Amino acid sequence: RERRGEKARAGVSRREQERGGHRVIRARGSLSEVGSTLRFAHENGFLSAQAYQDLRITHGRARAMTWRLYQALGRPVEPG
């Protein structure tokens, strides 16, 4: 019998769950998807150069804040 919520936590340590680390990891993945979508939209003419630049700046700020939060939670620094 599977314990309650076990599937949802697969691959996430109890410590990360307690500290909210799994949410930060998910946010980082979501920000990567947003970056890919922005590039696609720009390259295919859905965004003007100015709109793309403005959105890239905002996206970069969100990535930087998320990275700082990740580090503040005691995550190791990833290479590259």
Side-chain angles (χ1 to χ4, degrees), residues 3 9 11-20 22:
R3 289 185 296 194
R9 293 188 301 252
V12 178
S13 74
R14 171 159 279 142
R15 182 175 174 210
E16 284 180 329
Q17 289 174 20
E18 290 170 359
R19 298 180 76 186
H22 64 292

Side-chain angles (χ1 to χ4, degrees), residues 17-44:
Q17 289 174 20
E18 290 170 359
R19 298 180 76 186
H22 64 292
R23 290 187 179 100
V24 176
I25 292 168
R26 284 185 180 167
R28 290 177 65 208
S30 296
L31 284 167
S32 291
E33 290 178 20
V34 168
S36 297
T37 302
L38 285 175
R39 271 190 308 281
F40 174 84
H42 176 65
E43 290 170 0
N44 290 284

